[in-house]
Amino acid sequence: MGKVEALRLNAITKRFGGLTANDAVSFGVDQGEVVALLGENGAGKTTLMNILFGQYTADSGTVEVFGQALPPGNSRAALDAGVGMVHQHFTLADNLTVQENITLGAEPLFSPRLNRAGARARIAALSEKFHLAVSPDARVGNLSVGERQRVEILKALYRDVRILILDEPTAVLTPQETDALFATLRQATANGLSIIFISHKLHEVMAIADRVVVLRHGKLVGGARTEDTDTQALAAMMMGLEATPPNVAPANPGAALLELEDVSTPDIGSAPGLKSVSLALRAGQIIGLAGVSGNGQAAMADVLGGLRSPATGRIVLGGEVVQRWTPRDAVQSGIARIPEDRHKTGTIADFDLTENAILERYKGVPFSKGGWLNWRKSRGFAEEIIRKYDVRCPGADTPIRLLSGGNMQKLILGRVLEADPQVILANQPVRGLDLGAVNYVHGQLLEARGHGAAVLLISEDLDEIMALSDVIHVIAEGRLSPGFVRGEKTPAELGLWMAGQGFDARIPHAS
Amino acid sequence: MRLEPVQNPSLARKVLPPAIALAFTVLIASLLAMIAGANPFSVLGLIIKGAFGSKFAMLETLNRATPLIFTGLAVAVAFRARFWNIGAEAQLYAGALMTVLLGTGFLPWPSLALLPAIAFISILAGAALLLIPALLKTRFGVDEVVTTLLFNFIFLLFISMLLEGPLKDPMSMGWPKSARLLPEARLPRIVEGLRLHWGFALAILSALCIWIIQTRSTLGYEMRAVGLNKEAAAFAGIPVNLVLIKTALLSGGLAALAGFSEVAGLKGSLTLDLSPGFGYTGIIVAMLALLNPLGVVLAALFVAGIFVGADSMSRAADVPTYLADIMLATALLLMVLAIMLTRFRVVRD
């Protein structure tokens, strides 16, 4: 294929106040090429794509598509020039059909001369050509996540994109769905499309991209053809230091500290509840709960964390059946809970660090007595967390919303770990954190395991689960797989379980 | 144009917009005074003089501020926990009703026992009245804005019915008016000879108590947590519904004290015009005070001063007292805008 340059970014610089989000970033994408844009969270990937897409105006620098400069800050022009983007969070209307979603905005929806048959034929042709099988009459609300993504890609293709940007496209997919996506992308590049693939998953980048460019702190720190590099080198470029995957010693599991016995909870809307789940969290062991998001992880975290009681079945804590089960009971029983969403549920944004530090334990000595708070002790506790867990902040009276995600997570870690918990429920503990913070959090979990804590790690990132867990369970539509010890299953085999296969042969019935 | 949150507002950003808002309020009031054909400077001068210019004016302003401090506190406490109590008016009348029921001979006690008993039972009545919307909200998710607002009308009609029937004073020559309180049930004046009753001291004391509760007690911490982020509060183990109910009880009780203080301290009997909307004005007071209990005292003095000053001004200059309502409405609207500008900056695309 000829080397036609489809896209060129020339020395793009963008500042927000004192922060330089993009610092003279330049790179190009050839026609038919997949370029992976790699970088930690906060490295400036999103800002760069927003500039390319005309949502932000760069302070300096230009964007060229097929040699034509795009007018800055004009999304329409970017669309017209053939730039399409599939966002991480899909922009589809649930109550419309696939065909309506695809044609929405591209053609008048309720025109009397609406050419539905023509649109349909075109969608069918595109589906065929790019191996994107979806039924045009299905309601988007009824589709799986993988299918929705196909609709998003079809939507872009229907608008004749020549450059397709995919923002973290595999975050919500099973390994099998990821493979199918990659097949589609290869088909697309064979047809002359150029693709920018934003990710921080190194092995996926190696699998799909022709070339990788790496952003760090807003600067382009390196680039390489994938055949000339490896994951180690890319990680080093991304982090600025050699990545050290956790070196996990064998576990030495002890007694069951917290158990679910045949627990079921009702479905809430489209979120499945638990279906006859039995699980034992043992001292000195990390159990990984793998699964595609929205398959009952929330119900699991809620039940264990005291936010929901089982409809049927029992919770057994240290050998005794639990009667009353609230978040406060859970905390007082020595359960540390690291919530999935640290902004919405983990912290109160306008509270300062002190107020957030005592959020779970303000009731009673040492933080209060007879209904009156002891601010001196509370502040001392917050300062101790700041020191021991290296929370970077101006002081304990800073509103927590001013902290970065990593520092917020460190405060939450300190808050729960300082109570010497017996059980740790870590729900997506490293989501959105940069690699330095990820290693820190993982180190803390492993250390707690070493001290005899039982850890449940809930994550959608299979790499994380496989790296840390002594035993892996897969959750799919609220059903729990048997436990697989470390190394027993390959990612592909776990992927089959995540897709719901394997359960059918042995539907767990209450016996 | 869009709004961008300001991460770390500077002192100037915190102080300037509210100051500018106040300046604009005065400017708009002056324009209106000019339209009414008066000299704006003399009108403003007359308002200030009428509110704070003499001992009599000062006392009048303090008297007028007293019920506003109570209702302002009631609203501030509730709004802090994001419990939207719009029904301080009804709770005020609940307190007034109890004062009249108990203070006209039902309890033949001496003053020192009678007044605390009446105050306490008034608080209970106001709290009980707000408990109903609170339970409807926590049990069934019924919007408390609607229920508390509608309760105002229901309760005022109920009072009206009582004043036309069983509570009507036979000596009132046909007016819908209750019997007068016994002398023992009247709140005495703070200093003999000055027209200022102990209700004002009680209001200041209440503001101090609420401030201490909000900053030092676990209940205050819980109320702020629930108001700022209900989901995180529930996750951390704060019993959100229980906190909302406690908040409602406190808020209703404070509003009822306004009714107790007006009847026992000032009016001596219950009529339907006991409150010219103190419950609603309490919302303005609380918002102007940024929900800070000590700020409520200042905001109540400001609002009372404008009312009293405008009354006096309209007698001297030929400008209607409605100017006071307009000034308050402008002050509130501009202040809400100013508060937004302390937290967000406007960015032009």
Side-chain angles (χ1 to χ4, degrees), chain A residues 144-211:
Chain A
S144 73
V145 180
E147 287 170 315
R148 283 179 206 215
Q149 190 175 53
R150 276 178 240 155
V151 177
E152 281 279 9
I153 296 173
L154 269 176
K155 209 167 105 182
L157 294 174
Y158 189 84
R159 285 160 176 71
D160 292 324
V161 294
R162 294 185 288 177
I163 300 160
L164 183 61
I165 306 166
L166 297 161
D167 187 9
E168 304 265 354
T170 60
V172 292
L173 301 184
T174 62
Q176 281 74 17
E177 285 174 325
T178 302
D179 289 343
L181 171 70
F182 285 1
T184 297
L185 296 185
R186 288 196 191 95
Q187 191 64 39
T189 49
N191 280 290
L193 247 76
S194 309
I195 292 172
I196 299 180
F197 184 93
I198 302 173
S199 180
H200 56 232
K201 291 188 184 170
L202 297 170
H203 64 89
E204 286 178 0
V205 165
M206 293 298 291
I208 188 68
D210 301 309
R211 206 150 54 80

Side-chain angles (χ1 to χ4, degrees), chain B residues 10-74:
Chain B
S10 62
L11 186 67
R13 183 170 275 280
K14 280 184 194 162
V15 172
L16 266 181
I20 294 171
L22 275 186
F24 263 91
T25 305
V26 170
L27 187 74
I28 289 170
S30 310
L31 284 175
L32 286 168
M34 272 166 71
I35 293 170
N39 176 351
F41 294 103
S42 75
V43 164
L44 289 175
L46 283 170
I47 290 180
I48 293 169
K49 205 173 136 213
F52 305 104
S54 65
K55 195 160 87 177
F56 175 81
M58 277 297 291
L59 291 172
E60 195 54 34
T61 301
L62 294 183
N63 264 329
R64 184 67 83 97
T66 303
L68 291 178
I69 295 174
F70 285 121
T71 55
L73 286 174

Side-chain angles (χ1 to χ4, degrees), chain A residues 307 327-328 337 339 343-348 350-351 355 358-360 362-363 368 371-373 375 401-402, chain B residues 6-8 212-213 215-219 221-222 224-225 228-229 231-239 343:
Chain A
L307 280 99
R328 194 168 282 168
R337 304 164 310 147
H343 300 274
K344 244 165 75 191
T345 45
T347 57
I348 294 180
D350 285 318
F351 267 13
E355 289 167 317
I358 62 169
L359 202 52
E360 287 182 333
Y362 67 94
K363 203 109 182 161
S368 74
W372 297 100
L373 288 162
W375 281 124
R401 67 187 149 79
L402 299 180
Chain B
V6 178
Q7 286 301 320
N8 227 344
I212 291 170
I213 287 174
T215 53
R216 310 250 159 220
S217 76
T218 51
L219 175 63
Y221 175 80
E222 289 171 336
R224 288 188 294 130
L228 287 171
N229 185 342
E231 198 180 326
F235 178 83
I238 295 176
R343 298 198 56 179

Side-chain angles (χ1 to χ4, degrees), chain A residues 257 283-285 417 420-422 424 443-455:
Chain A
L257 299 178
Q285 188 184 51
L417 293 182
D420 277 332
Q422 295 207 294
I424 299 172
Q444 289 286 333
L445 292 180
L446 286 169
E447 198 182 312
R449 183 193 79 162
H451 294 152
V455 180

Side-chain angles (χ1 to χ4, degrees), chain B:
Chain B
M1 287 211 305
R2 67 203 155 77
L3 294 173
E4 232 173 46
V6 178
Q7 286 301 320
N8 227 344
S10 62
L11 186 67
R13 183 170 275 280
K14 280 184 194 162
V15 172
L16 266 181
I20 294 171
L22 275 186
F24 263 91
T25 305
V26 170
L27 187 74
I28 289 170
S30 310
L31 284 175
L32 286 168
M34 272 166 71
I35 293 170
N39 176 351
F41 294 103
S42 75
V43 164
L44 289 175
L46 283 170
I47 290 180
I48 293 169
K49 205 173 136 213
F52 305 104
S54 65
K55 195 160 87 177
F56 175 81
M58 277 297 291
L59 291 172
E60 195 54 34
T61 301
L62 294 183
N63 264 329
R64 184 67 83 97
T66 303
L68 291 178
I69 295 174
F70 285 121
T71 55
L73 286 174
V75 173
V77 161
F79 281 20
R80 183 64 86 192
R82 294 199 162 242
F83 181 83
W84 308 115
N85 175 17
I86 314 294
E89 191 78 1
Q91 294 133 31
L92 178 153
Y93 274 100
L97 179 63
M98 284 303 140
T99 309
V100 166
L101 285 179
L102 300 174
T104 49
F106 184 81
L107 286 179
W109 292 354
S111 223
L112 233 53
L114 183 60
L115 278 170
I118 295 180
F120 182 66
I121 290 174
S122 294
I123 290 175
L124 289 187
L129 194 59
L130 193 49
L131 184 61
I132 301 164
L135 286 175
L136 285 173
K137 177 191 172 78
T138 51
R139 284 290 154 94
F140 305 112
V142 182
D143 190 339
E144 75 276 18
V145 173
V146 177
T147 46
T148 54
L149 183 65
L150 291 182
F151 254 122
N152 288 342
F153 301 103
I154 295 170
F155 204 76
L156 241 75
L157 288 169
F158 174 65
I159 295 279
S160 171
M161 183 191 86
L162 292 179
L163 288 180
E164 295 285 358
L167 274 187
K168 191 170 185 174
D169 183 6
M171 314 297 283
S172 74
M173 315 214 292
W175 289 103
K177 182 172 177 296
S178 78
R180 294 196 68 76
L181 294 184
L182 300 174
E184 299 87 69
R186 296 296 302 266
L187 276 167
R189 293 180 172 181
I190 296 176
V191 178
E192 204 47 59
L194 291 185
R195 214 177 92 90
L196 183 67
H197 58 86
W198 276 98
F200 178 73
L202 186 62
I204 301 288
L205 190 69
S206 302
L208 275 174
C209 286
I210 297 299
W211 180 69
I212 291 170
I213 287 174
Q214 282 196 341
T215 53
R216 310 250 159 220
S217 76
T218 51
L219 175 63
Y221 175 80
E222 289 171 336
M223 292 195 301
R224 288 188 294 130
V226 168
L228 287 171
N229 185 342
K230 215 183 245 187
E231 198 180 326
F235 178 83
I238 295 176
V240 171
N241 283 344
L242 191 63
V243 171
L244 285 176
I245 286 169
K246 286 180 185 169
T247 305
L249 294 177
L250 191 57
S251 171
L254 284 164
L257 278 179
F260 160 73
S261 145
E262 281 298 280
V263 172
L266 213 59
K267 300 285 171 64
S269 64
L270 176 57
T271 55
L272 260 191
D273 59 2
L274 175 74
S275 158
F278 288 138
Y280 300 105
T281 313
I283 299 174
I284 301 182
V285 169
M287 299 295 283
L288 286 178
L290 308 183
L291 308 186
N292 179 321
L294 300 182
V296 162
V297 175
L298 293 179
L301 287 173
F302 171 74
V303 170
I306 287 184
F307 273 125
V308 172
D311 269 347
S312 144
M313 175 277 298
S314 78
R315 283 191 295 270
D318 197 19
V319 176
T321 52
Y322 293 120
L323 189 63
D325 296 303
I326 295 174
M327 277 180 82
L328 279 185
T330 352
L332 180 69
L333 289 175
L334 290 175
M335 197 57 94
V336 170
L337 191 68
I339 290 161
M340 196 194 71
L341 286 178
T342 59
R343 298 198 56 179
F344 296 93
R345 80 164 61 86
V346 181
V347 181
R348 293 191 64 135
D349 284 331

Side-chain angles (χ1 to χ4, degrees), chain A residues 92-98 101 138-144 148 270:
Chain A
L92 296 171
D94 278 359
N95 53 344
L96 297 183
T97 65
V98 168
N101 262 292
R139 291 219 174 272
V140 164
N142 300 331
L143 297 183
S144 73
R148 283 179 206 215
S270 62

